[in-house]
């Protein structure tokens, strides 16, 4: 029995996976939004899961951002109260046992490569298209974290092949301009639509209006898909994964899967491109499932 915890911005979920990878228990509660309370809640959720299914052999956490390999302190988390905190150390003290942490997009990639939409593929790139944008790379079943634990951080690379009106691009919270996150996250999609039409709409409202024939919404969706396609083509040119797995709210937009392959093929540095782009099998559960697998099988 392995426990995974997904430390999300609005909720925290703990789940136990049995040997076959099936859910044996899962509990979610709203994220209390402060460091100490969140730490206590994680410990409480793990205790409740173990009360249901018995003691777990390991605990892993999916988090926004990642621990710095140099200091152990969390950085790059959009739940900003985690930043500059020694979360792994504090979590281990709270639980009285070792804990592994990984970025939530890395957990998505690990989960989908193990028994999700990319099961059996030799290489997989996972992308979360939610409030923000994260990436994770799995090769031969192993997570590639990199020397500084920022491998596959696609969200903070500039939009590739920009047109004149896409440069330098919007300011990003990371301090740079034109990061992919400012274009291909759900928030980026809304911002771009608003910048052109003046309408403050949700991503879902824009997609619905595009399907109903609204020209401004349809053009925003066209721009979104083109930019995402360019981002994935850039990934092809450095990692060339067999399969891309998309997660997060924007991954539910069916139009992506019809239209992205042509855009990727047009930009990839190859005579042909026949990779796959698919939605995550486990949806919102990819975080807990990947976290539970951080200690291997
Ligand atoms: Zn950025």
């Amino acid at each position: 029995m392995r426990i995974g915890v997904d430390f999300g911005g609005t909720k925290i979920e703990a789940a136990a996976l049995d040997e076959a990878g099936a859910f044996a228990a899962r509990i979610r509660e709203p994220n209390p939004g402060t460091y100490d309370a969140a730490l206590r809640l994680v410990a409480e959720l793990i205790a409740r899961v173990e009360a249901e299914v018995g003691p777990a052999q390991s605990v892993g956490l999916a988090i926004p951002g990642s621990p710095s390999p140099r200091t152990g302190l969390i950085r790059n988390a959009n739940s900003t109260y985690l930043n500059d905190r020694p979360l792994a150390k504090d979590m281990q003290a709270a639980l009285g046992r070792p804990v592994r942490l990984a970025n939530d997009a890395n957990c998505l990639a690990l989960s989908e490569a193990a028994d999700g939409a990319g099961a059996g593929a030799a290489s997989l790139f996972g992308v979360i298209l939610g409030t923000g944008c994260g990436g994770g790379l799995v090769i031969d079943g192993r997570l590639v974290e990199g020397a500084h634990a920022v491998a596959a951080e696609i969200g903070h690379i500039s939009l590739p092949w920009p047109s004149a009106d896409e440069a330098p691009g919007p300011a990003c919270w990371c301090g740079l301009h034109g990061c992919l996150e400012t274009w291909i996250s759900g928030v980026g999609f809304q911002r771009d639509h608003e910048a052109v039409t003046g309408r403050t709409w949700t991503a879902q409202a824009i997609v619905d209006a595009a399907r109903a024939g609204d020209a401004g919404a349809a053009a925003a969706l066209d721009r979104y898909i083109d930019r995402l396609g360019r981002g994935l083509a850039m990934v092809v040119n450095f990692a060339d994964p067999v399969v891309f797995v998309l997660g997060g709210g924007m991954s539910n937009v069916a139009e992506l899967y019809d239209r992205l392959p042509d855009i990727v093929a047009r930009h990839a540095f190859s005579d042909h491109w026949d990779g796959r782009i698919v939605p995550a099998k486990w949806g919102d559960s990819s975080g807990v499932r990947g976290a539970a697998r951080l200690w291997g099988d």
Side-chain angles (χ1 to χ4, degrees):
M1 199 71 70
R2 298 167 286 181
I3 289 182
V5 177
D6 186 10
F7 201 107
T10 55
K11 46 99 191 153
I12 297 179
E13 177 171 354
L17 292 190
D18 66 18
E19 294 309 314
F23 280 120
R26 54 191 310 195
I27 309 173
R28 66 169 64 176
E29 295 280 355
N31 188 324
T34 65
Y35 187 74
D36 291 338
L39 228 60
R40 275 197 303 277
L41 178 60
V42 170
E44 182 205 313
L45 292 177
I46 290 171
R48 282 166 57 190
V49 166
E50 290 192 314
E52 234 176 273
V53 301
Q57 67 201 54
S58 62
V59 176
L61 246 78
I63 58 164
S66 65
S68 162
R70 184 163 59 91
T71 63
L73 305 179
I74 304 297
R75 71 241 150 112
N76 305 337
N78 53 6
S79 295
T80 51
Y81 62 86
L82 290 177
N83 287 325
D84 300 319
R85 298 284 198 151
L87 180 62
K89 188 163 144 264
D90 290 344
M91 213 60 252
Q92 279 171 202
L95 298 173
R97 66 179 124 177
V99 175
R100 283 190 183 167
L101 306 182
N103 174 260
D104 46 16
N106 283 358
C107 289
L108 167 96
L110 195 57
S111 166
E112 293 293 324
D115 62 357
S123 55
L124 174 151
F125 198 94
V127 187
I128 295 184
L129 303 166
T131 315
C133 171
L137 176 63
V138 171
I139 296 178
D140 293 333
R142 298 178 70 91
L143 193 57
V144 178
E145 293 189 275
H148 307 87
V150 293
E153 285 290 3
I154 182 180
H156 299 278
I157 301 173
S158 299
L159 175 69
W161 299 283
S163 63
D165 59 353
E166 289 171 333
C172 181
W173 64 268
C174 77
L176 300 176
H177 276 81
C179 291
L180 271 166
E181 180 167 293
T182 69
W183 298 108
I184 66 172
S185 63
V187 172
F189 176 48
Q190 293 166 32
R191 182 203 52 74
D192 177 64
H193 171 261
E194 183 176 352
V196 175
T197 66
R199 303 181 299 207
T200 308
W201 288 5
T202 64
Q204 186 62 55
I206 302 165
V207 171
D208 289 345
R211 288 171 182 164
D214 180 277
L221 185 58
D222 288 348
R223 290 192 298 277
Y224 178 86
I225 296 174
D226 188 69
R227 288 160 180 159
L228 176 57
R230 279 181 267 159
L232 300 187
M234 174 181 66
V235 174
V236 170
N237 285 3
F238 71 74
D240 200 4
V242 174
V243 56
F244 285 99
V245 178
L246 309 184
M250 291 301 292
S251 72
N252 297 316
V253 178
E255 285 85 343
L256 302 188
Y257 306 96
D258 293 335
R259 291 163 54 187
L260 284 170
D262 283 348
I263 300 165
V264 174
R266 202 157 62 236
H267 291 85
F269 188 56
S270 172
D271 63 331
H272 73 292
W273 184 79
D274 56 7
R276 287 187 292 139
I277 304 172
V278 293
K281 174 180 175 183
W282 293 105
D284 282 351
S285 300
S286 284
V288 278
R289 297 185 66 87
R293 296 184 184 280
L294 286 173
W295 292 81
D297 287 318

